Structures are given as C-alpha cells and as structure tokens.
Amino acid sequence: MVFVTMPDGSIKECQQKRIKEIILELGLNENAVLVAKGDELLTPDIYVANRDEIRIISVVSGG
Amino acid sequence: MKCRKCGERALISLRRHNAGFCKEHFNEFFVRQVEKAIKKYEMFDYSDKIMVCISGGKDSLVLWYLLHKMGFDTTGMYVNLGIGEYSEKSLEKVKAFSEKHGLKSIIVNLTQLGHPITLMEKRVKRTACAICGTTKRHYFNKVAHENNFDIVATGHNLDDEAARLLGNTMRWYPEYLGKMSPALSADSQIKKKVKPLIRLTELEVGAYAFMNGIYYIADECPKSVGATSMIYKNALNTLETEMPGTKHYFYSEFVKNVAHKFEREETEKKEMHICSICGIESFLEVCTFCKMLEKIK
C-alpha cells in the first residue's frame, strides 16, 4: 500500500502504481496538484513502492 | 523522466513544453519566463522603484523573492484584511519571509484602520470578494502614490488570468476585457500595474516555491469558498490535460490580437476624476471605496 497525505491533512491508501494513476484515482487534476515524497517532487511517470508515503500539494488558489 | 537539459532525474514535468526539468534547470526555465514577460510587455527596468503586492500566498512571495534576486528595487506591500485566523497566519508568513530575506515591506492593517473586511461585509451589500478587491486596489493605489513607487507588481499567474479572461468572455464584460493586459499603463496618479508571472502556470509557481523553500500560506481565504474563479480554473485545467498549452494560447492570443480593441473602447468611454474624499484618482467623483466606507460610519 501507498500512504497519501491529502492537502487537508487526511490520509488515504492506494495500491502501488504510477503517480499519474494515483492522481486520477483520487479524482484530482494533474495540472492542479504537485506530488512530493519527503523534500522532492515526483513526476507523473514515477512508480511508487510499497509503504511509500507521499504528499499531495494543491496549487490552485481562488478568490 | 529525465531533465531535458542535463539528463538527470526530472522533478517536474511540463507537458505544455514537452519537457521535464531537474531543480537547477527548472529554476533557469522559470527565471527565463519572467525575463521574457518583463521584456515583451515592457514592464519595468532596473531604474524603477517597484511595489510588490503581497498576500502571503505562493504567487506573491515567489514574485517578490525572484524580483529581489534578479536585482530589482522592490518593497512588499501587504494589506492585513482582518479576516480572523487566516489574516493572522498570512501576516506571520509575510513577516517571516521579509525578515529571512532582508526585504523592505509596508503593512496596512484594516482592523487598526477601523474597517476590517468582516465589518465591511456586514454593512455593504456586495460579496466579500468584491469588497476585498476594491479595498486592496484602493490601498495599492494610495500607498504606491504616497511612496512614489513607479510600478505596482502583482503575482497573478497564467491560470489566474486565463480564468479571469474565460469569466469575462462568458459574460461579455467589455469594461473588464479592456483591463486584461499583463502591463496596464499609468494614469496621472495610478501607477503602472504589471504581472511578471503571466507566462507561468500555478503548478509551475507552486513547484518553484516548493523547490526553493518559499513557505507560504496554503490555506484558502475562508471568504473565497465557492468563488466562481475556481470553476473557470477547473474547466481550463480539464482542457489543459487534454490539450497541453491551451491556457497559454487562450490568454496570449487574446492579448496579442484582441485586447487592444477593448482597451480603446474603455478609454473612449471613461473620464478620470480625483475622488473628493480620499484624493485618489477614480472613474467616479467619489470612489467606490470611499462610498463603501461611508456605509460603515
């Protein structure tokens, strides 16, 4: 399993797969979020390993 | 994915440029986009005194950081809106950032001035976002005029402006379409307004902030919940996913081929006045901001 911290702080679990597929599974848009592991950003083609912890950063601001 | 320049592992993928970049070459790309915008739209040069409008969010802090790093004479101007915890947090970010980088700043505190947004929205029959926009514009103009700045720079990015263009086009607002250029020329009191991040998307600005340790307020303003700009941004991001480059094409071609028609229409219709209360230039004899203030007395 991969542990995903969402922008609101909640944690979701996903199967191991590419970042692009995780973004889709979470119902997000690839142009609206960054994905980080520790202090590095991950590109959509990266395959995350079992027990990896990644973080979704929303970049869209409104108002 | 490999960096297009050096072949190292890429940290960001930019589909609209069909490229990936490592940190070093993404930073190079980012600076080049800002330089191109400044040059193409003749925004300013090294002799200008620039006021950067700061909110504590990623776009304004990245802009301030970068213009300072590029050697421009910048001062941050922050309006504390008096929106509870959100305003306190954003003020902390701005203070920490300016101290860390040794930057000059001017802070206007609406609560101390007696008209925080939370009070104004109770007395004025407009949305909080409309009240906030008018109030911030008033203080941007006033502070820039009183402190003899040459330029007012804001952190609007490509997503902000493409979404605004979509909204103004959907409703055919000619008076707003006339103000969509990334560099709006000065009037006698109103300083030239520029948007140097116009060639960069929100994703790119967010990535630059992350890679360069720029800590911004990630919380959304509680008053902007349900803002229509988010609907337009989501729609454009859906198009961008299917057709990379759409946002840039939509906005830049409008500016290149169409915007001037609305600008002409705008200048033909409106005559400028000096507001009889605050003394700042306005399209009205008493500016909208002063009219709002009269309602809370």
Side-chain angles (χ1 to χ4, degrees):
Chain A
M1 286 302 238
V2 176
F3 301 97
V4 186
T5 304
M6 301 297 286
D8 65 2
S10 64
I11 294 176
K12 295 196 174 177
E13 293 180 9
C14 291
Q15 296 294 325
Q16 294 165 253
K17 55 185 81 169
R18 290 186 200 285
I19 292 293
K20 188 183 177 81
E21 292 157 352
I22 292 176
I23 291 173
L24 276 177
E25 185 180 316
L26 294 171
L28 303 169
N29 184 291
E30 64 182 60
N31 295 296
V33 294
L34 294 166
V35 183
K37 183 180 164 190
D39 59 0
E40 282 205 334
L41 294 178
L42 303 175
T43 49
D45 60 311
I46 296 285
Y47 193 92
V48 283
N50 193 28
R51 305 199 64 77
D52 267 356
E53 293 179 16
I54 60 173
R55 184 159 51 103
I56 305 283
I57 303 161
S58 172
V59 293
V60 180
S61 54
Chain B
M1 175 176 266
K2 305 280 187 199
C3 171
R4 176 200 268 181
K5 296 281 288 270
C6 67
E8 291 291 315
R9 184 167 81 78
L11 296 180
I12 184 158
S13 162
L14 304 181
R15 284 183 64 211
R16 71 190 182 110
H17 293 284
N18 197 23
F21 290 114
C22 66
K23 178 181 171 180
E24 180 190 346
H25 293 115
F26 176 66
N27 279 347
E28 254 184 37
F29 159 85
F30 198 92
V31 171
R32 200 163 56 247
Q33 297 306 314
V34 174
E35 286 172 342
K36 275 187 183 176
I38 293 169
K39 190 176 174 190
K40 180 171 183 181
Y41 299 109
E42 299 176 338
M43 290 182 175
F44 47 79
D45 60 35
Y46 285 95
S47 67
D48 287 317
K49 195 177 158 191
I50 303 168
M51 184 181 96
V52 185
C53 303
I54 306 299
S55 66
K58 68 182 186 312
D59 305 295
S60 58
L61 292 186
V62 163
L63 177 64
W64 195 12
Y65 172 86
L66 197 56
L67 293 184
H68 174 70
K69 205 172 168 210
M70 290 165 81
F72 290 104
D73 176 4
T74 64
T75 301
M77 192 281 190
Y78 169 76
V79 180
N80 188 300
L81 301 166
I83 305 178
E85 193 185 348
Y86 170 77
S87 288
E88 293 315 306
K89 273 191 188 174
S90 63
L91 176 61
E92 279 172 26
K93 294 285 180 196
V94 171
K95 281 184 173 172
F97 183 84
S98 59
E99 280 168 20
K100 181 179 174 185
H101 298 285
L103 299 170
K104 299 172 279 183
S105 62
I106 297 170
I107 294 175
V108 171
N109 188 320
L110 297 188
T111 304
Q112 286 172 5
L113 290 167
H115 53 82
I117 297 297
T118 45
L119 174 64
M120 290 173 89
E121 73 171 324
K122 286 179 187 159
R123 307 277 177 87
V124 179
K125 286 180 184 165
R126 297 177 72 194
T127 64
C129 289
I131 293 167
C132 180
T134 300
T135 304
K136 284 199 288 192
R137 268 193 302 280
H138 170 80
Y139 283 108
F140 292 162
N141 290 335
K142 181 175 158 63
V143 171
H145 175 61
E146 289 175 353
N147 292 275
N148 297 315
F149 285 102
D150 302 300
I151 300 289
V152 173
T154 59
H156 293 99
N157 57 48
L158 177 59
D159 292 55
D160 295 327
E161 293 306 282
R164 199 158 70 92
L165 175 58
L166 181 59
N168 289 338
T169 306
M170 296 289 277
R171 289 175 177 263
W172 290 119
Y173 285 137
E175 69 273 30
Y176 296 143
L177 287 166
K179 293 176 182 168
M180 291 294 314
S181 167
L184 295 171
S185 54
D187 274 305
S188 58
Q189 277 192 2
I190 309 293
K191 305 298 178 180
K192 184 175 182 179
K193 293 195 173 87
V194 299
K195 295 164 186 163
L197 300 182
I198 195 60
R199 294 178 59 86
L200 292 152
T201 65
E202 277 195 318
L203 186 88
E204 291 156 9
V205 179
Y208 186 88
F210 184 92
M211 288 186 203
N212 292 281
I214 295 170
Y215 302 110
Y216 57 90
I217 180 163
D219 304 6
E220 277 298 305
C221 172
K223 302 291 176 192
S224 76
V225 174
T228 51
S229 62
M230 298 295 274
I231 299 168
Y232 296 125
K233 282 187 176 182
N234 289 340
L236 286 164
N237 274 339
T238 303
L239 290 170
E240 185 78 17
T241 303
E242 298 300 322
M243 297 177 285
T246 296
K247 283 184 271 195
H248 178 75
Y249 196 75
F250 177 53
Y251 178 76
S252 63
E253 291 301 304
F254 169 81
V255 171
K256 186 176 160 191
N257 298 314
V258 188
H260 64 279
K261 295 177 183 171
F262 292 100
E263 283 166 19
R264 211 165 26 243
E265 192 174 316
E266 183 70 11
T267 51
E268 280 163 8
K269 272 165 62 178
K270 303 267 183 171
E271 186 192 338
M272 295 302 279
H273 302 273
I274 298 294
C275 171
S276 58
I277 297 176
C278 70
I280 297 291
E281 209 170 39
S282 165
F283 290 120
L284 306 164
E285 290 189 11
V286 173
C287 74
T288 310
F289 173 74
C290 288
K291 281 183 182 167
M292 290 198 310
L293 274 197
E294 282 176 350
K295 289 182 182 165
I296 66 163
K297 278 179 186 166

